[in-house]
């Protein structure tokens, strides 16, 4: 076996391992029914719902990993809210099995929630974490694509970064086709919080890079959330903030051959009119749709023609 | 030989125009005014239909349907385009659909219909649409004391209808059949000069995308129809509409449609 073939084989092996762990990953999700929920149409997918979806289609899984209140939920909500206003980034909304979940998450941004500044409710540990969305390119040249978003409470990622989570608690990470390390743009442009944010992100990257935590470290990318706050800062603070994001990307690249972890900049719901709703989500969608899943990126294994088959065709 | 049984399911939230459509449709079919489709015999259960027809003929606004679940309606129909058949077209109250969205509870009869129908008519009323309006970040806020917690009934119409279609598809365990989208009270938007599908795209974009994205697998078509011809809650409009000798003359059709029968004929046609 050549070096290339060996590498391919290893990568395929990793992907197959990731596939086989889907059940374990979903089982690690605590299935909690919510009293205020809609019962039959849940506010997110639980174990059974996630398994059912994975059995029907092979969804592309996005995990946004970041501390509490870094804006992870806002990103998912903004994507849905943006589609609620028409086709977005050359794509069409094609359905969702978790519309009530998106609706609840978008509520604090809407007039129906009252007269106040837009706000996003904190994701509770007991919430149902898996959100589903189906999209398609506007030209309808490609097949429908199912996306599964993992909306976990930030405390889970804090535990992972500190090494205090169990292996079982981390199994969902192996399911991620795309895993974004989320940096809070507001903290990055605050000199009193910047270095601490970098340090905590580096701890998280360290843990994520440990063997077996992710299906493939090439799933990693960096995402600056609340980019509107960063953009509103002075040039010096902006540059310093960008350097933190670059450093986190380097931390990933240094340990993954031929990988250049992209840096995305997202203002999900800008606090000023500087950015439109969902600024930067177009690039996130590109990332998910241009390289939908690890198994696609890695390609199928080469299948040698068996002797029996050769004999049969002869 | 037993008669061919066909069925369609009307889907819509409260006050979306389902019952008004049904009242006008019954009058049209009963008077055999369109050779494409007409009633062959009086339905055995016709009191409810007569009530709807009566309201429509008296130019009365239709209140929310109060009956729980579905009012079963069967019509023996025949005509130049589809031959003879029996059509089940139950009137399912908007409240039933609201509960389905809010609580996820199917009544047995509605569940059966969701499974077995061969076409959906989705009703939208332009003036009862709930839209997802964002808080204006530029506007100064009064304070933070009036937070209204989320509950399903606060959701926009487009989200509820998309979810209902997902739910029906799940119930069927198969892809959805043809979908006719009826934009009722078309008189309210006729001045915009839009094709019905364009109106849907602009005003109910989530639903339009969901239908358009899968249009190669399941067909959909939009119809603009005003069965009342105007806002009959307004006395002047009522009197004006009543000047027509033929009650059917007041019906307004959007571009490309020829009458109330179009959605049905399209759904049931080959």
């Amino acid at each position: 076996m050549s070096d290339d073939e060996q590498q391919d084989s290893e990568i395929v092996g990793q992907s197959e391992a990731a596939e086989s762990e889907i059940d374990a990953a979903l089982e690690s999700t605590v299935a909690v029914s919510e009293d205020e929920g809609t019962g039959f149409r849940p506010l997110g997918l639980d174990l059974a719902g996630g398994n059912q979806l994975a059995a029907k289609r092979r969804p592309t899984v996005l995990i946004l990993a970041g501390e509490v209140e870094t804006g992870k939920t806002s990103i998912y909500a903004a994507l849905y809210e943006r589609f609620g206003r028409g086709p977005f980034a050359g794509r069409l909304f094609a359905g969702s099995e978790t519309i009530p979940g998106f609706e609840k998450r978008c509520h604090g941004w809407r007039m129906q929630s009252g007269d106040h500044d837009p706000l996003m409710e904190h994701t509770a540990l007991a919430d149902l974490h898996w959100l589903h969305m189906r999209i398609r390119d506007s030209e309808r040249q490609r097949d429908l694509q199912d996306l599964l978003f993992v909306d976990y409470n930030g405390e889970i990622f804090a535990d992972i970064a500190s090494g205090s989570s169990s292996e079982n608690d981390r199994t969902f990470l192996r399911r991620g086709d795309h895993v974004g390390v989320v940096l809070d743009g507001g903290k990055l442009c605050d000199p009193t919080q910047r270095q601490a944010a970098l340090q905590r992100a580096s701890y998280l990257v360290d843990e994520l890079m440990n063997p077996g935590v992710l299906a493939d470290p090439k799933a990693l990318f960096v995402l600056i959330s609340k980019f509107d706050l960063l953009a509103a800062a002075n040039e010096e603070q902006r540059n310093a903030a960008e350097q933190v994001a670059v450093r986190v990307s380097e931390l990933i690249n240094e340990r993954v051959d031929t990988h250049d972890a992209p840096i995305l900049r997202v203002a999900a719901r800008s606090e000023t009119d500087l950015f439109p709703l969902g600024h930067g989500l177009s690039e996130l969608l590109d990332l998910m749709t241009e390289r939908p899943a690890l198994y696609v990126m890695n390609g199928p294994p080469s299948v040698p023609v068996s002797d029996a088959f050769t004999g049969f065709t002869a | 030989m037993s008669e061919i049984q066909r069925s369609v399911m009307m889907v819509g939230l409260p006050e979306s125009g389902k019952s008004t459509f049904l009242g006008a449709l019954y009058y049209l079919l009963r008077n055999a005014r369109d050779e494409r489709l007409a009633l062959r015999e009086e339905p055995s259960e016709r009191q409810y239909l007569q009530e709807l027809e009566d309201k429509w003929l008296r130019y009365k606004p239709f209140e929310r349907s109060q009956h729980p679940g579905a009012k079963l309606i069967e019509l023996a129909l025949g005509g130049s385009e589809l031959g003879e058949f029996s059509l089940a077209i139950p009137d399912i109250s908007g409240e039933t659909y609201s509960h389905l969205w809010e609580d996820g509870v199917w009544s047995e009869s509605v569940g059966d219909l969701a499974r077995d129908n061969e076409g959906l008519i989705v009703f939208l009323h332009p003036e009862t649409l709930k839209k997802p309006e964002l808080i204006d970040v530029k506007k100064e806020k009064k304070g933070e004391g009036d937070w209204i917690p989320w509950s399903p009934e606060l959701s926009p119409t487009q989200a509820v209808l998309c979810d209902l279609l997902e739910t029906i598809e799940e119930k069927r365990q198969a892809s959805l059949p043809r979908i006719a989208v009826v934009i009722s009270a078309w008189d309210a938007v006729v001045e915009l000069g839009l094709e019905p599908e364009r109106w849907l795209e602009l005003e109910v974009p989530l639903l339009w995308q969901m239908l358009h994205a899968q249009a190669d697998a399941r067909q959909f078509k939009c119809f603009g129809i005003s069965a009342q011809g105007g806002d009959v809650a307004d006395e002047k409009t009522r009197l004006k509409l009543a000047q027509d000798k033929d009650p059917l003359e007041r019906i307004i059709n959007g571009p490309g449609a020829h009458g109330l029968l179009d959605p049905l004929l399209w759904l049931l046609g080959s």
Side-chain angles (χ1 to χ4, degrees):
Chain A
M1 188 184 281
S2 70
D3 286 350
D4 285 346
E5 283 172 337
Q6 178 138 11
Q7 196 176 8
D8 283 351
S9 169
E10 283 171 6
I11 292 168
V12 167
Q14 283 182 328
S15 297
E16 286 171 347
E19 288 286 314
S20 69
E21 290 206 6
I22 183 171
D23 289 345
L26 291 169
E27 276 163 15
S28 72
T29 306
V30 182
V32 180
S33 62
E34 300 188 13
D35 291 336
E36 62 183 339
T38 52
F40 186 72
R41 309 296 300 174
L43 297 177
L45 296 176
D46 61 1
L47 166 66
N51 273 333
Q52 205 175 1
L53 181 74
K56 276 190 286 188
R57 306 180 181 93
R58 206 302 185 179
T60 300
V61 178
L62 171 68
I63 299 172
L64 294 180
E67 300 172 330
V68 176
E69 294 187 359
T70 45
K72 302 180 294 296
T73 304
S74 292
I75 290 168
Y76 302 133
L79 193 60
Y80 173 78
E81 194 70 88
R82 191 62 192 77
F83 276 118
R85 277 145 183 79
F88 175 60
R91 293 166 184 94
L92 300 162
F93 172 86
S96 167
E97 295 189 10
T98 56
I99 289 174
F102 281 115
E103 281 295 316
K104 182 171 187 282
R105 284 164 175 86
C106 290
H107 178 65
W109 292 350
R110 297 196 183 145
M111 304 280 279
Q112 287 88 345
S113 65
D115 188 16
H116 52 78
D117 287 322
L119 62 88
M120 176 57 62
E121 283 189 276
H122 182 62
T123 304
L125 279 165
D127 279 350
L128 298 175
H129 308 292
W130 301 72
L131 293 169
H132 167 254
M133 186 183 285
R134 198 177 300 123
I135 60 170
R136 192 173 191 188
D137 63 296
S138 295
E139 306 302 319
R140 297 181 302 183
Q141 297 296 308
R142 298 185 183 186
D143 290 337
L144 296 166
Q145 187 183 357
D146 285 88
L147 307 174
L148 207 49
F149 306 132
V150 179
D151 186 23
Y152 269 43
N153 178 295
E155 287 171 32
I156 288 173
F157 296 107
D159 286 348
I160 291 169
S162 66
S164 57
S165 64
S166 70
E167 194 177 333
N168 194 44
D169 291 339
R170 295 194 303 258
T171 49
F172 73 93
L173 290 165
R174 288 185 63 80
R175 187 70 189 88
D177 297 302
H178 302 277
V179 180
V181 177
V182 182
L183 302 170
D184 184 327
K187 287 181 180 164
L188 293 193
C189 60
D190 178 348
T192 65
Q193 301 208 48
R194 187 181 305 130
Q195 288 308 317
L198 170 61
Q199 194 66 7
R200 287 195 298 274
S202 64
Y203 289 146
L204 181 60
V205 169
D206 280 348
E207 291 297 321
L208 294 175
M209 298 295 270
N210 280 334
V213 174
L214 300 177
D216 186 337
K218 287 181 180 173
L220 282 168
F221 65 98
V222 179
L223 188 148
I224 304 175
S225 64
K226 306 177 189 174
F227 187 66
D228 51 313
L229 299 180
L230 196 149
N234 65 42
E235 191 178 352
E236 187 187 348
Q237 304 301 347
R238 278 204 309 273
N239 289 340
E242 286 286 347
Q243 281 169 17
V244 170
V246 170
R247 182 65 199 128
V248 175
S249 176
E250 284 170 355
L251 286 173
I252 299 165
N253 298 338
E254 283 164 7
R255 295 164 68 174
V256 191
D257 287 345
T258 69
H259 185 50
D260 187 7
I263 302 172
L264 305 187
R265 294 160 184 84
V266 173
R269 176 82 168 105
S270 176
E271 290 184 13
T272 68
D273 56 354
L274 210 56
F275 295 102
L277 174 68
H279 170 83
L281 294 182
S282 166
E283 288 76 11
L284 184 60
L285 276 177
D286 288 345
L287 188 76
M288 285 187 284
T289 53
E290 297 309 316
R291 199 207 70 188
L294 288 172
Y295 78 97
V296 173
M297 179 182 76
N298 294 329
S302 55
V303 182
V305 178
S306 72
D307 289 339
F309 183 75
T310 312
F312 176 75
T313 53
Chain B
M1 196 168 82
S2 64
E3 191 164 50
I4 298 168
Q5 302 287 326
R6 312 193 68 174
S7 71
V8 297
M9 183 178 190
M10 298 197 296
V11 179
L13 294 173
E15 298 181 282
S16 56
K18 300 183 296 296
S19 300
T20 312
F21 177 87
L22 211 46
L25 180 72
Y26 184 62
Y27 178 84
L28 174 69
L29 291 170
R30 196 169 171 278
N31 288 280
R33 297 289 298 275
D34 191 327
E35 64 176 21
R36 295 179 300 168
L37 203 61
L39 205 60
R40 286 185 288 114
E41 57 190 68
E42 292 288 348
S44 51
E45 298 287 336
R46 53 183 177 272
Q47 185 185 351
Y48 179 67
L49 281 167
Q50 286 173 349
E51 284 169 11
L52 296 181
E53 181 192 48
D54 182 64
K55 268 188 195 166
W56 180 75
L57 283 170
R58 291 192 291 132
Y59 304 86
K60 292 193 76 168
F62 281 64
E63 304 87 26
R64 288 174 174 220
S65 299
Q66 297 299 319
H67 60 266
K71 274 273 183 197
L72 297 177
I73 293 171
E74 277 216 38
L75 302 170
L77 300 175
S80 58
E81 294 199 3
L82 301 172
E84 294 190 353
F85 61 98
S86 172
L87 176 70
I89 180 169
D91 189 12
I92 302 168
S93 70
E95 300 291 346
T96 302
Y97 288 114
S98 291
H99 287 310
L100 197 49
W101 158 251
E102 290 162 21
D103 312 322
V105 180
W106 286 91
S107 73
E108 196 177 333
S109 60
V110 179
D112 288 347
L113 189 64
R115 255 191 305 273
D116 300 333
N117 73 79
E118 53 184 298
L120 300 173
I121 311 182
V122 177
F123 285 82
L124 280 160
H125 193 300
E127 292 179 330
T128 59
L129 269 187
K130 225 186 280 179
K131 293 186 179 182
E133 290 179 68
L134 288 176
I135 294 167
D136 185 352
V137 290
K138 287 179 283 183
K139 196 182 142 200
E140 200 171 315
K141 305 298 175 305
K142 286 177 193 161
E144 295 182 8
D146 51 357
W147 166 255
I148 301 164
W150 183 79
S151 61
E153 68 267 21
L154 294 173
S155 300
T157 308
Q158 60 178 6
V160 181
L161 288 176
C162 285
D163 190 62
L164 284 172
L165 292 182
E166 287 275 359
T167 311
I168 291 169
E169 187 163 26
E170 190 174 314
K171 196 78 178 167
R172 293 170 72 87
Q173 297 184 315
S175 61
L176 291 170
R178 280 185 176 182
I179 300 170
V181 179
V182 171
I183 299 144
S184 63
W186 185 251
D187 55 284
V189 294
V190 74
E191 283 183 359
L192 298 173
L194 297 171
E195 296 282 331
E197 187 176 335
R198 181 70 177 144
W199 181 88
L200 188 75
E201 182 183 349
L202 294 174
E203 295 294 313
V204 202
L206 203 69
L207 178 63
W208 175 80
Q209 288 174 79
M210 188 171 161
L211 296 172
H212 181 67
Q214 304 190 53
D216 42 4
R218 60 183 190 215
Q219 292 179 297
F220 82 102
K221 193 169 180 180
C222 298
F223 302 87
I225 295 174
S226 172
Q228 291 283 34
D231 179 11
V232 293
D234 177 63
E235 192 60 21
K236 278 186 187 169
T237 309
R238 280 184 76 198
L239 292 172
K240 193 178 166 203
L241 292 170
Q243 287 173 359
D244 291 331
K245 284 183 185 166
D246 183 347
L248 289 168
E249 276 182 23
R250 74 178 198 264
I251 293 173
I252 295 172
N253 299 298
H258 305 97
L260 283 179
L261 294 180
D262 283 18
L264 271 181
L265 291 169
W266 179 75
L267 280 181
L268 299 172
S270 54

